[in-house]
């Protein structure tokens, strides 16, 4: 088909689409036939694989498809949590750098840079807000690791949403779609990749921005092509960044920028490859030759990515969540004071121990935060980011009691991050707690009250109590928002 023909097809409306098990079975039959007669089959389907046809149609119709009540509520939770991460991130070095960048290089005044008075172009706003959202370890993540979806796709949906003036309901559906595509992309090709963070961010942000731009099925196919071209960037050197700035770029800013950029160029008329999931040098084959493209539509419309993503109760690195949960559980069962403790042994998976062992950054240093937990009986956002306190003699005295043990048996349980904490008191009493599923995981979800309490703690110092309460109310009632730009006055700091 010529470019002119494809562009004409892109302008036509597509009939309503419902994803069913029957349709997937029919697609499986088609795929079998295609394997036997590839040239005939592809010609009959306009060079589209059944996976791409299913996926692009689902994406195009997402803006008009109602979400189940539990998915709608969970999407609100993740939006609020990500906005709170942006707002609190504005007080940290990566966030300050992001706002400075937007102020210096921002384009046309269209989209909001959170926790500032800056309006700029949607690409620059998405980039800055992505950096803000992962200025530290506050934002959501995927329990298995390798993915922080919200910090890229929520900023992308917000920037594109402001560009096109979409409703709160449309915004919610765009965000939910972003999680769906992000998580399926990682599960489909992730096992063959060393780095999946930008893969997740770019794929999720691109889907969310494309939905916000109301792209149709043909345009969604081109959109996925541009997403695939950008998704593989990123190397593990970010682990050596002690300021979290490069990490924020890789996890949040880059994916958010990629997504909005892809959506805007396709919306403006750019074309591309019709099916990046099949044919020579396709997306899946290039990343993981053993992967099955059908993973991109597996249980689509049944299993929602946002419900598989963890909200963090604690504003710390992921491997520290379970040990802090265990400490809190021990306090509830048998209260004790720091000066009563002789030793604390923390057992986590070997790979998790590597990430959080005696790190320079307080929010990713397990020994430091367990010491803070001993003293404060909790770990607040402020305490988790108080770097000078890492040199406090009182904290160092408690930190000397903490022993981190990499455990190969717990490593076998990955992707589930299990932690065992053993506390020995001076009188010989031994306390032990094993945490299988941390608070905020799909198996142990946070309540709306807990999500709101976390957001309030993060945003009140920046926005003030009154504006914080109004913003929380608007986000939790997004279905009543006529234009997403109505959030702007509540997101800004003058």
């Amino acid at each position: 088909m010529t470019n002119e023909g494809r562009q004409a097809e892109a302008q036509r409306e597509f009939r309503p689409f419902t994803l069913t098990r029957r349709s997937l079975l029919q697609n499986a039959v088609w795929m079998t036939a295609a394997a036997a007669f590839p040239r005939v089959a592809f010609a009959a389907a306009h060079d589209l694989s059944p996976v791409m046809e299913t996926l692009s149609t689902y994406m195009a119709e997402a803006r008009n498809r109602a979400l189940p009540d539990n998915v709608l509520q969970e999407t609100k939770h993740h939006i609020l949590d990500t906005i709170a991460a942006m707002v609190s991130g504005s007080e940290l070095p990566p966030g300050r750098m992001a706002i400075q960048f937007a102020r210096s290089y921002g384009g046309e005044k269209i989209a909001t840079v959170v926790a500032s008075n800056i309006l700029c172009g949607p690409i620059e706003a998405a980039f800055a807000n992505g950096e803000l959202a992962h200025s530290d370890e506050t934002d959501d993540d995927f329990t298995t690791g390798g993915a922080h979806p919200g910090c890229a796709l929520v900023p992308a949906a917000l920037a594109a949403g402001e560009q096109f003036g979409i409703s709160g309901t449309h915004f919610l559906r765009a965000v939910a779609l972003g999680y769906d595509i992000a998580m399926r992309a990682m599960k489909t090709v992730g096992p063959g990749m060393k780095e999946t963070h930008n893969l997740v961010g770019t794929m999720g942000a691109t889907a969310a921005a494309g939905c916000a731009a109301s792209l149709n099925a043909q345009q969604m196919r081109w959109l996925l092509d541009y997403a695939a071209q950008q998704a593989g960037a990123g190397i593990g050197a970010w682990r050596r960044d002690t300021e979290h700035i490069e990490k924020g770029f890789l996890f949040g800013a880059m994916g958010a920028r990629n997504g909005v950029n892809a959506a805007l160029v396709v919306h403006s008329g750019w074309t591309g490859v019709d099916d990046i999931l099949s044919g020579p040098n396709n997306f899946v084959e290039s990343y993981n030759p053993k992967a099955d493209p059908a993973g991109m539509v597996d249980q689509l419309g049944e299993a929602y990515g946002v419900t598989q993503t963890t909200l963090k109760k604690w504003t710390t690195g992921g491997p520290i969540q379970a040990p802090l949960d265990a400490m809190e559980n021990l306090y509830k069962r048998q209260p004790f004071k720091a000066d009563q403790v002789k030793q604390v042994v923390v057992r986590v998976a070997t790979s998790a121990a590597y990430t959080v062992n005696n790190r320079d950054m307080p929010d990713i240093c397990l020994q430091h935060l367990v010491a803070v937990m001993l003293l404060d009986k909790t770990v607040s956002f402020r305490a988790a980011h108080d770097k000078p306190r890492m040199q406090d003699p009182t904290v160092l005295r408690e930190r000397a009691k903490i022993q981190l043990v990499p455990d190969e048996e717990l490593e076998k349980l990955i992707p589930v991050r299990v932690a065992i904490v053993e506390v020995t008191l001076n009188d010989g009493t031994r306390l032990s707690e094993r945490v299988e599923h941390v608070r905020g995981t799909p198996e142990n979800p946070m309540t709306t009250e807990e999500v709101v309490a976390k957001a309030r703690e993060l945003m009140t110092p920046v926005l003030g109590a009154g504006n914080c309460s109004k913003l929380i109310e608007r986000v939790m009632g997004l279905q009543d928002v006529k234009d997403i730009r109505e959030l702007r006055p509540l997101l800004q700091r003058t």
Side-chain angles (χ1 to χ4, degrees), residues 333-350:
R333 192 163 72 241
Q334 182 175 334
F336 54 87
K337 296 180 180 179
D339 59 9
Q340 295 177 274
V341 175
K342 179 180 180 181
Q343 185 183 47
V344 178
V345 177
V346 180
R347 300 181 184 277
V348 299
T350 304

Side-chain angles (χ1 to χ4, degrees), residues 95-365:
R96 290 196 291 269
M97 292 288 185
I99 291 172
Q100 178 182 333
F101 171 84
R103 181 172 285 115
S104 299
Y105 299 105
E108 190 176 352
K109 298 183 184 301
I110 291 172
T112 307
V113 176
V114 172
S116 76
N117 61 356
I118 301 169
L119 296 177
C120 58
I123 295 174
E124 295 91 343
F127 181 83
N129 287 334
E131 183 78 15
L132 282 163
H134 197 69
S135 290
D136 69 323
E137 298 298 319
T138 300
D139 55 304
D140 63 19
D141 69 356
F142 192 48
T143 308
T144 61
H148 285 253
C151 62
L153 71 88
V154 174
L158 179 62
E162 288 190 274
Q163 170 74 49
F164 297 106
I166 66 174
S167 69
T169 295
H170 189 167
F171 177 65
L172 284 161
R173 293 170 182 173
V175 169
L177 178 67
Y179 279 95
D180 284 340
I181 304 308
M183 306 321 293
R184 282 171 175 77
M186 188 183 78
K187 289 180 179 180
T188 299
V189 306
M193 293 187 63
K194 294 181 179 179
E195 278 297 332
T196 56
H197 295 96
N198 179 56
L199 168 81
V200 167
T202 293
M203 297 302 290
T206 302
C211 183
S214 298
L215 302 183
N216 61 32
Q218 173 62 81
Q219 292 171 317
M220 287 294 187
R221 295 194 278 273
W222 295 328
L223 180 78
L224 288 167
D225 179 25
Y226 286 105
Q229 291 289 2
Q230 301 178 87
I235 57 176
W238 58 265
R239 293 178 175 84
R240 304 203 302 266
D241 171 28
T242 60
E243 297 295 329
H244 215 279
I245 295 171
E246 181 181 350
K247 189 168 186 278
F249 167 73
L250 175 62
F251 286 32
M254 181 161 58
R257 177 202 64 195
N258 291 347
V260 174
N261 188 69
L264 292 184
V265 297
V266 171
H267 185 269
S268 72
W270 286 33
T271 61
V273 172
D274 276 341
D275 190 351
I276 198 63
L277 298 181
S278 68
N281 303 311
N282 70 72
F283 168 63
V284 176
E285 180 184 87
S286 297
Y287 286 84
N288 182 0
K290 297 181 180 180
D292 183 356
M296 292 297 295
V297 296
D298 182 38
Q299 292 187 287
L300 197 60
E302 299 175 22
Y304 289 84
V306 71
T307 66
Q308 301 169 29
T309 307
T310 297
L311 286 172
K312 292 182 177 180
K313 175 179 178 179
W314 311 97
T315 55
T316 71
I320 305 175
Q321 302 285 309
L324 294 183
D325 268 5
M327 289 292 292
E328 185 176 63
N329 293 343
L330 289 174
Y331 282 135
K332 290 177 180 178
R333 192 163 72 241
Q334 182 175 334
F336 54 87
K337 296 180 180 179
D339 59 9
Q340 295 177 274
V341 175
K342 179 180 180 181
Q343 185 183 47
V344 178
V345 177
V346 180
R347 300 181 184 277
V348 299
T350 304
S351 58
Y354 171 80
T355 302
V356 297
N357 183 31
N358 282 320
R359 296 292 298 275
D360 293 332
M361 294 175 282
D363 58 331
I364 313 181
C365 180

Side-chain angles (χ1 to χ4, degrees), residues 36-114:
F37 307 102
R39 293 184 181 178
V40 175
F42 277 105
H46 304 293
D47 296 330
L48 289 184
S49 66
V51 172
M52 176 55 80
E53 190 162 25
T54 296
L55 181 61
S56 59
T57 306
Y58 184 89
M59 292 172 66
E61 295 178 352
R63 68 184 184 274
N64 297 319
R65 185 183 301 111
L67 297 170
D69 289 345
N70 67 312
V71 177
L72 182 66
Q73 187 74 353
E74 197 64 24
T75 304
K76 291 178 184 178
H77 287 176
H78 283 263
I79 291 170
L80 178 60
D81 192 72
T82 306
I83 289 174
M86 293 184 217
V87 172
S88 60
S90 68
E91 300 283 273
L92 301 173
R96 290 196 291 269
M97 292 288 185
I99 291 172
Q100 178 182 333
F101 171 84
R103 181 172 285 115
S104 299
Y105 299 105
E108 190 176 352
K109 298 183 184 301
I110 291 172
T112 307
V113 176
V114 172

